[in-house]
Amino acid sequence: MTHEKLVSLNGGTKTYGHVQALRSVDFSLDRGEILAIVGKNGSGKSTLIKILSGVIQPDKGELIVGGETKHFQSPSDALHNGIVTVHQELSVIPSLTVAENIVLGNWPRKKGLTRAIDLGEMQKIARNVLEEIEEAQIDVKALVSSLSLAERQIVEIARALVQRPRILLLDEPFSTLSAHEVEVLSQKIKAIADTGLAVAFVTHRLGEVKDIATSVMVLRDGDLVIKERSDNITVEEVAQHMLGEGVDRPKHEIVRTDRISGDHDPILSLRNFSVPGKLDGIDLDIYPGEIVGIAGLLGAGRSEFLRGLLGLEPASFDQFTLSGKDIKEPDLKDMIKQGVYFVPEERKLEGFVGQFSVMENLELPKFPKLPFLSHLRWGDVRSSAQVIADRMSVKTSDLSEEITNLSGGNQQKVVLGRWIKLGDMKLFLLDEPTRGVDIHARIQIQAVIDDLAKQGVAVLMVASEFEELFDICDRLLLVSHGQPAQSIPIGETSLEAVTAQLLSA
Amino acid sequence: MNLVKSKIGEFGLLGALILLLMVYTLIAPNFMSVNNALNILRSAALVAIVAIPMTFVLISGEIDISAGPLAAFSGVMFALLVSHAGVGFVLAALIVLLIGTLSGTFVGAMRAYLNIPSFVTTLALWGALRGLAIWSSGGHAVFIKDRSLRQTFGGDWLGIPVPIYFAMVVITLFFYIAKYTPFGRSVYSVGGNEASSRLVGINVAKTKILTLAATGFFAALVGMLIDARLSSGNANAAEGFEFDVIAAVVVGGTSLAGGTGKVMGTLIGVLFIAVLSNGLVLLGMNPYLQSVVRGLVILLAVFLNVMVGRKA
């Protein structure tokens, strides 16, 4: 074999208490290999990445880098060995410039007494690396806070590349990107791998597996199920290995035909609804039982649209009618009272309260509805929370455990599920309801949304993965900058058509 | 290791307090006497009356450093109303309590509507209230001639100093609110994640304003209790009181960053500092050295809290 293994982990094992996060997993990367690591939440993907990046030490297993056995005691050990990791949660600092973020921690210094940061050198380094990945249009002097999410991701990757890695680990690099941006990023990853690096990335999006990766590795419950070249395996087979249940199609067949009766008044009527600078005049009527998907590229103002409806973003409109009543100025608390419930995009930042238990997070929307100093019966709170947890299939041994212990998918179920038993739901606004959520949980969440619609709730959802919209929506609202929004019934379009339409705008 | 850590966290401060009590009993003269115990509890009670509400303030992510000057100002106002304006005790008390509540509400409103950090507002109040107290009192004690105040509130009821009764009510009340009311949970929620709280419909502004208003209310109460004992209002009363209050809350395990904290923790923090200070006095330690010791111990206590709080 002439292939040189840049890194390998033999028999990697890690146990937390009585949970075996990783069970004797063998992992390796060749030069130029692009490996996709897939698996449900809890399958051991994060644990594997953490071991490789030096964040944790394996209980058993041999780590070999460049032919030599290594023991990483800390992330800097991994860095010194050429393993650079880009984590799922963006760690760029918004208040610093692009250049500063790129050299973060490795400031180029002037020679001499002062050892001050060499600003010119810093900008040059930043410009060079951005040019390498063909993102020279990003201004290195711009503040990261002015960049879009996708651009911030690029900066994060640039920072990784500046450290001249031999191995690049990416944890969910695509989860916040639109289809177009995924394309662009994939090309860059291929280009990076071509220069002799090895890349391994964790993803929930099985489409990427075939498009970008040269090989794919499936983990399930801590075991390595299979590692195979990506051209030797189909997406369905990968999904099957992941779920282990002989599931043929990862998609849930959602029946839409019986949903809308047609002789209702719209629950929401908007005319010329705009968010200055982000979104131009939208006309929309949405009916009870309808699921409308908002499709658009990042930056098209989709989140701002939802937030504008709730008064969280400044909005202007000619008409805003909810349940037959005209709204002059949207106010979040009023909206909640009227049965408009919202699931935000970032569950960690705005969704749950990290210090609270699963139980308390599930019941949180009930608290403001109770009299300030009324007595809380925790027994009732728990049983009420249990009802939601059961409905959403939240996997947790004890509702009293901290919500931060849950996987991303289960956390999302909590953030979404806490509204479904509150009652009086008329309109459900969902901003990326299955972002960063594994396939299993995604199907469950979609089923709940579908169920709600069957009960007459109108759903307005944003999703960057257009496939999701095609899973459950009745129609799509295409939004793009500078163009009026277009409404298309789902049956009259396709994923390719929508993507093409938005990209050509 | 985690189990050990969490056990240290729960019982650590209490254990340290018990240890301290044992050590002092052995080495500090007259420590273990009823008289001394009541002394400790009397001054601890005054701190507790404000420290307990202050716990909510810190949990919600705010802070109030004006407790001492507010207490002094309230005390002076009370004395002036009663002695110079001829206002009855009850009415004067209500007015003063209202002033305290308004002060706290002002701080909360500045934060909620103008986004001015509570630290900044209370820093301004810290100076302003003390100045107002000095100015309105003319720089000298304002005597309360009517002896009934001192007789009723300045001494003991059934052998136990009056402030202790107030403290017990405050402790019970806030313990209950923290654990068993939506408002209490809102305080924790807002402190834990303000954005998430807002999105589920919690009135963040109202929550913060109420916690700060409560602190103001009880600071005013303490001011009047001090008056009762001294039978006068003094502009220089409660010097350093705000420090004792916040130190107690922080030692008790509440984080300055917000989101966590326990009423019981604050209570033990109050007792710990009170016992510590008392023992040092009895040991005859130089007062300036006492401050050093107190400062170091507080630092140590918070350090341990942080260590215990860290996850594996």
Side-chain angles (χ1 to χ4, degrees):
Chain A
M1 292 287 274
T2 53
H3 283 244
E4 191 187 302
K5 289 210 184 303
L6 287 184
V7 63
S8 47
L9 175 67
N10 300 324
T13 304
K14 184 74 185 175
T15 309
Y16 291 108
H18 19 253
V19 178
Q20 281 223 287
L22 220 54
R23 268 199 279 254
S24 195
V25 170
D26 290 331
F27 167 90
S28 68
L29 279 179
D30 294 327
R31 209 182 259 285
E33 184 177 350
I34 304 177
L35 171 71
I37 306 173
V38 298
K40 276 162 47 179
N41 275 114
S43 57
K45 310 190 297 289
S46 312
T47 310
L48 179 59
I49 296 284
K50 281 184 188 162
I51 290 176
L52 293 170
S53 56
V55 174
I56 61 179
Q57 284 86 47
D59 297 329
K60 276 202 273 257
E62 203 188 11
L63 184 63
I64 302 174
V65 183
E68 288 171 27
T69 308
K70 304 276 179 184
H71 298 281
F72 293 160
Q73 305 285 8
S74 70
S76 46
D77 286 342
L79 284 175
H80 283 143
N81 279 284
I83 300 180
V84 178
T85 312
V86 177
H87 293 281
Q88 184 177 5
E89 306 290 345
L90 285 185
S91 63
V92 286
I93 301 178
S95 50
L96 296 182
T97 63
V98 169
E100 286 170 327
N101 269 283
I102 289 179
V103 303
L104 205 58
N106 280 312
W107 317 100
R109 295 193 190 260
K110 289 203 179 114
K111 307 213 189 319
L113 274 178
T114 58
R115 306 276 288 137
I117 295 176
D118 189 340
L119 287 175
E121 185 63 28
M122 178 174 83
Q123 283 166 15
K124 193 166 119 196
I125 292 175
R127 264 191 283 265
N128 284 345
V129 69
L130 285 175
E131 253 178 58
E132 271 175 39
I133 53 175
E134 287 168 41
E135 286 285 339
Q137 78 279 7
I138 296 183
D139 178 13
V140 299
K141 296 204 281 271
L143 286 182
V144 164
S145 53
S146 66
L147 298 183
S148 68
L149 211 46
E151 288 170 321
R152 296 188 196 197
Q153 190 114 40
I154 301 285
V155 171
E156 187 110 29
I157 290 179
R159 185 206 296 167
L161 291 176
V162 151
Q163 299 172 63
R164 299 281 157 237
R166 283 183 288 173
I167 296 144
L168 187 62
L169 302 175
L170 305 167
D171 193 352
E172 296 272 4
F174 304 111
S175 58
T176 58
L177 305 179
S178 70
H180 171 62
E181 278 136 357
V182 168
E183 262 292 327
V184 172
L185 186 59
S186 323
Q187 295 309 321
K188 296 203 198 301
I189 291 179
K190 284 199 196 142
I192 290 170
D194 277 342
T195 66
L197 268 70
V199 179
F201 67 98
V202 172
T203 184
H204 277 133
R205 298 166 63 147
L206 299 184
E208 273 87 57
V209 170
K210 295 282 279 177
D211 291 337
I212 314 155
T214 57
S215 49
V216 59
M217 168 181 178
V218 182
L219 292 173
R220 192 174 75 226
D221 295 326
D223 289 313
L224 169 63
V225 175
I226 186 172
K227 183 180 171 184
E228 181 61 80
R229 285 162 49 105
S230 57
D231 46 16
N232 264 355
I233 193 169
T234 66
V235 172
E236 285 77 23
E237 285 169 330
V238 172
Q240 228 163 317
H241 287 300
M242 274 176 61
L243 299 172
E245 283 154 19
V247 171
D248 277 9
R249 293 181 45 84
K251 285 189 174 21
H252 176 102
E253 284 300 341
I254 307 238
V255 178
R256 283 189 284 266
T257 49
D258 57 347
R259 196 176 290 138
I260 307 158
S261 52
D263 42 304
H264 287 271
D265 286 329
I267 194 96
L268 178 69
S269 281
L270 300 172
R271 295 289 176 273
N272 201 18
F273 187 90
S274 324
V275 174
K278 300 277 169 86
L279 191 74
D280 300 321
I282 291 202
D283 292 344
L284 174 69
D285 287 319
I286 177 169
Y287 295 84
E290 250 201 308
I291 301 182
V292 176
I294 305 177
L297 302 177
L298 255 182
R302 299 164 300 159
S303 289
E304 286 80 1
F305 176 35
L306 294 185
R307 298 174 81 91
L309 290 175
L310 298 162
L312 298 171
E313 293 276 335
S316 66
F317 43 85
D318 293 339
Q319 184 195 348
F320 185 153
T321 311
L322 180 69
S323 302
K325 283 192 288 234
D326 278 328
I327 309 262
K328 296 280 185 326
E329 262 200 60
D331 170 72
L332 176 64
K333 283 198 240 24
D334 270 346
M335 286 291 155
I336 294 179
K337 269 203 210 109
Q338 308 250 37
V340 180
Y341 301 154
F342 175 53
V343 176
E345 183 178 356
E346 305 258 0
R347 55 177 170 267
K348 194 165 161 192
L349 288 181
E350 289 185 316
F352 55 80
V353 177
Q355 286 87 342
F356 276 2
S357 60
V358 176
M359 166 172 65
E360 208 161 1
N361 271 289
L362 282 169
E363 293 291 294
L364 204 57
K366 295 214 179 78
F367 290 166
K369 295 191 172 226
L370 297 169
F372 240 37
L373 292 178
S374 59
H375 180 74
L376 277 180
R377 282 202 165 87
W378 283 100
D380 293 347
V381 171
R382 180 182 288 271
S383 34
S384 177
Q386 188 68 55
V387 170
I388 304 176
D390 291 338
R391 177 68 189 92
M392 301 294 303
S393 314
V394 176
K395 237 191 285 205
T396 170
S397 46
D398 178 12
L399 287 180
S400 307
E401 74 170 317
E402 274 190 28
I403 192 162
T404 45
N405 285 342
L406 260 51
S407 65
N410 284 311
Q411 287 173 343
Q412 191 68 10
K413 289 180 195 171
V414 170
V415 171
L416 193 142
R418 64 191 176 182
W419 295 107
I420 62 176
K421 297 282 178 196
L422 198 59
D424 303 324
M425 193 192 297
K426 302 242 175 20
L427 175 62
F428 210 8
L429 303 177
L430 308 174
D431 199 347
E432 305 277 5
T434 59
R435 199 187 96 185
V437 165
D438 66 299
I439 246 194
H440 212 49
R442 177 178 304 188
I443 294 175
Q444 288 164 333
I445 291 177
Q446 286 175 342
V448 169
I449 297 173
D450 182 57
D451 217 42
L452 287 170
K454 283 210 189 75
Q455 293 168 34
V457 173
V459 177
L460 192 53
M461 63 182 272
V462 169
S464 289
E465 291 182 53
F466 298 154
E467 299 92 334
E468 274 182 63
L469 299 176
F470 279 85
D471 281 341
I472 53 171
C473 295
D474 299 308
R475 65 184 161 109
L476 296 182
L477 193 68
L478 302 190
V479 297
S480 45
H481 246 318
Q483 290 215 337
Q486 224 191 324
S487 172
I488 309 182
I490 211 88
E492 289 174 25
T493 184
S494 68
L495 180 56
E496 294 76 20
V498 165
T499 313
Q501 205 160 345
L502 288 171
L503 282 180
S504 62
Chain B
M1 192 54 213
N2 268 341
L3 194 64
V4 176
K5 270 189 177 181
S6 74
K7 287 304 169 197
I8 290 182
E10 271 179 55
F11 300 113
L13 191 61
L14 187 58
L17 176 61
I18 293 172
L19 192 64
L20 196 60
L21 288 170
M22 296 197 302
V23 168
Y24 274 159
T25 311
L26 290 173
I27 66 171
N30 303 318
F31 181 75
M32 246 323 146
S33 70
V34 175
N35 197 35
N36 192 43
L38 289 180
N39 273 338
I40 294 176
L41 290 177
R42 180 188 295 109
S43 56
L46 287 179
V47 175
I49 291 172
V50 178
I52 303 277
M54 185 70 74
T55 313
F56 272 24
V57 170
L58 259 69
I59 290 173
S60 74
E62 303 297 328
I63 193 167
D64 182 344
I65 59 169
S66 65
L70 181 56
F73 177 65
S74 306
V76 166
M77 275 292 115
F78 183 69
L80 286 175
L81 284 169
V82 160
S83 306
H84 293 217
V87 177
F89 280 136
V90 176
L91 184 57
L94 289 174
I95 294 174
V96 167
L97 288 173
L98 182 64
I99 293 176
T101 311
L102 286 177
S103 173
T105 308
F106 173 66
V107 177
M110 292 293 265
R111 173 66 178 88
Y113 303 122
L114 294 179
N115 215 12
I116 296 181
S118 51
F119 178 77
V120 173
T121 314
T122 55
L123 183 60
L125 284 174
W126 182 86
L129 287 169
R130 187 68 72 177
L132 276 173
I134 296 173
W135 177 68
S136 50
S137 67
H140 54 74
V142 180
F143 289 105
I144 300 172
K145 290 179 227 90
D146 190 333
R147 303 237 101 246
S148 60
L149 180 69
R150 166 146 176 110
Q151 276 158 7
T152 326
F153 290 100
D156 304 344
W157 293 338
L158 305 175
I160 295 181
V162 168
I164 293 174
Y165 291 96
F166 283 95
M168 292 206 292
V169 171
V170 171
I171 293 165
T172 317
L173 183 67
F174 278 83
F175 180 77
Y176 173 76
I177 292 177
K179 215 163 183 244
Y180 293 102
T181 64
F183 171 61
R185 299 325 295 166
S186 297
V187 172
Y188 281 94
S189 185
V190 165
N193 191 325
E194 199 172 310
S196 301
S197 305
R198 206 183 301 268
L199 285 182
V200 295
I202 291 177
N203 193 331
V204 171
K206 194 163 145 196
T207 305
K208 291 194 173 189
I209 291 176
L210 278 174
T211 59
L212 285 159
T215 315
F217 176 91
F218 287 108
L221 176 64
V222 164
M224 294 193 288
L225 285 172
I226 295 176
D227 276 11
R229 185 138 174 87
L230 302 174
S231 223
S232 64
N234 288 273
N236 53 14
E239 196 81 46
F241 181 68
E242 62 279 359
F243 170 81
D244 291 332
V245 166
I246 292 180
V249 178
V250 159
V251 162
T254 302
S255 164
L256 280 171
T260 58
K262 287 183 157 73
V263 167
M264 277 306 145
T266 299
L267 176 59
I268 301 178
V270 170
L271 289 173
F272 184 78
I273 294 181
V275 166
L276 177 70
S277 307
N278 173 272
L280 293 179
V281 168
L282 289 180
L283 283 173
M285 183 182 282
N286 181 313
Y288 301 112
L289 277 184
Q290 281 182 44
S291 300
V292 174
V293 171
R294 249 211 315 276
L296 287 174
V297 168
I298 288 170
L299 191 60
L300 181 66
V302 175
F303 172 75
L304 288 172
N305 281 334
V306 168
M307 287 285 104
V308 163
R310 285 226 180 110
K311 295 201 169 170

